Amino acid sequence: MSIHQPKARERHPAAPSSASPDPARPPAGLVREHRRRSLFAYLTLSPTLAVVGLLMAYPLYVAIDLSLRGGQIADLLNLERNPLTLDNYRDVLTAPGLLSDVLRSVVYTVGVVVPAFALGLGLAILLNKAFPGRRIIRPLVLLPWAVPGVVVSAAFSWMLDASYGVVNHLLRTVGLIEDNVAWLADPDTALIAVILPTVWKYYPFFTLVLLAQLQSVPGELYEAARMDGASPLQQFLHVTWPAVRAASSLAIVITGIGVFREFDFIYPLTGGGPNEATQTLAIRIYNEAFQYFEMGTAAALGIVTMAICGLLLKFAGRSVRREFS
């Protein structure tokens, strides 16, 4: 008597069902929650974005409109009375002094940013260490950032005075000069004289940003470096600098754009002189608008300056994004 055993059922891989969920896709509930949160974020931000956009867009529109108007502009509320033209841009771009003003602005920016960054980095490293009185010294170091630029200019105007300035007195005392130097009236020294107060004003920003970044570095990294026999310079190159490099890039870009269009220190000290030795783009815009009353030319020059800042920001922004990526 044979025993008939049932045939083993062949197993075939189940065909993928069209209704089975794709493991690569997030669940539908999670997608709906993400969309709901994004919509809520945009709704809460929309009033602020609308106000900021209006405050930025309308002045920019007025400046562009003003730069495209020819003739003598006497009424800013009725610009349509003046014809549309590109003459202002032609005059600005073909002006013989434009390149000199741009180069002077670049020299002024580099002359401020480099020493301000070096001073800010050194103070940030010093203030990151523990020593008696650190809590008192920290706010004092940051104090120049809170002083208005006009007040700083007035103080340096007295300090750099050719007759009774304290700078000439100190330099004569240590034997570096024999006669008083007219720092603000000499074309060879005027640019240095306006760079000094700007550095004094801007170095606390670097100190604040870099000190905040340094305080996030674990002390164990320095301790491990010392145990490996690293010198202070090697500790800076392999521990400190990698920690502050991204923040340094961002701070340099922000400060550089601000200094490139700086006005508060140059005009009160020299007014762009002597012999245009300190005339940057910002000073020239002011002179065109309020000394020669060429509003269209001043607006066109402002648009050109904004375009230059935009190009600098575009190239510098690449390095910043690379540091933060």
Side-chain angles (χ1 to χ4, degrees):
M1 182 176 182
S2 63
I3 300 174
H4 297 283
Q5 296 179 350
K7 293 182 179 180
R9 184 175 296 174
E10 294 183 358
R11 295 182 177 179
H12 299 284
S17 173
S18 58
S20 60
D22 186 358
R25 298 180 60 184
L30 186 61
V31 173
R32 285 195 298 271
E33 178 66 17
H34 177 72
R35 289 177 179 173
R36 189 182 65 81
R37 291 190 176 186
S38 299
L39 179 61
F40 177 75
Y42 282 119
L43 288 176
T44 52
L45 286 175
S46 56
T48 304
L49 292 176
V51 173
V52 173
L54 184 63
L55 292 176
M56 292 178 60
Y58 183 70
L60 184 60
Y61 162 75
V62 173
I64 294 175
D65 190 19
L66 192 59
S67 68
L68 295 173
R69 298 292 177 176
Q72 196 70 27
I73 299 174
D75 189 357
L76 294 177
L77 299 178
N78 297 296
L79 291 176
E80 65 276 5
R81 296 176 181 174
N82 296 79
L84 287 171
T85 178
L86 294 175
D87 289 349
N88 292 324
Y89 287 97
R90 185 197 60 193
D91 295 341
V92 166
L93 296 177
T94 57
L98 177 64
L99 183 58
S100 299
D101 293 341
V102 173
L103 291 177
R104 212 172 285 121
S105 300
V106 173
V107 171
Y108 174 70
T109 302
V110 175
V112 170
V113 172
V114 172
F117 172 74
L119 187 59
L121 177 60
L123 285 172
I125 295 174
L126 178 63
L127 294 176
N128 193 43
K129 300 182 180 300
F131 58 88
R134 185 177 64 169
R135 291 187 177 183
I136 300 175
I137 294 178
R138 274 184 178 179
L140 293 179
V141 169
L142 302 178
L143 188 61
W145 199 29
V147 181
V150 176
V151 177
V152 176
S153 300
F156 273 84
S157 176
W158 171 77
M159 293 169 61
L160 297 171
D161 188 87
S163 299
Y164 50 83
V166 65
V167 173
N168 280 332
H169 173 73
L170 292 175
L171 293 178
R172 284 200 319 272
T173 302
V174 299
L176 292 179
I177 59 173
E178 295 181 357
D179 300 322
N180 287 343
V181 177
W183 297 98
L184 298 172
D186 189 339
D188 295 330
T189 59
L191 191 58
I192 299 175
V194 297
I195 285 176
L196 287 176
T198 319
V199 172
W200 188 84
K201 171 73 176 177
Y202 275 96
Y203 85 83
F205 175 71
F206 288 110
T207 304
L208 182 66
V209 172
L210 300 180
L211 178 60
Q213 190 67 24
L214 283 175
Q215 293 196 334
S216 65
V217 180
E220 291 80 5
L221 293 180
Y222 290 100
E223 186 177 353
R226 285 192 293 269
M227 291 179 65
D228 290 339
S231 64
L233 178 60
Q234 291 172 326
Q235 292 179 34
F236 173 79
L237 294 177
H238 299 291
V239 179
T240 303
W241 180 245
V244 302
R245 188 171 54 193
S248 300
S249 301
L250 183 61
I252 287 173
V253 170
I254 294 174
T255 306
I257 296 299
V259 173
F260 188 80
R261 53 178 180 74
E262 185 61 64
F263 177 83
D264 291 356
F265 302 99
I266 302 175
Y267 194 81
L269 286 172
T270 63
N275 296 331
E276 300 183 353
T278 59
Q279 178 170 280
T280 59
L281 287 173
I283 300 299
R284 183 170 176 178
I285 292 172
Y286 179 86
N287 290 336
E288 292 285 351
F290 300 108
Q291 287 194 359
Y292 309 128
F293 299 104
E294 296 289 346
M295 293 294 181
T297 304
L301 193 55
I303 298 299
V304 171
T305 303
M306 188 177 65
I308 294 174
C309 290
L311 290 176
L312 295 176
L313 188 60
K314 180 177 177 57
F315 289 114
R318 291 180 180 176
S319 63
V320 174
R321 287 194 295 271
R322 188 166 54 246
E323 293 295 338
F324 279 91
S325 62

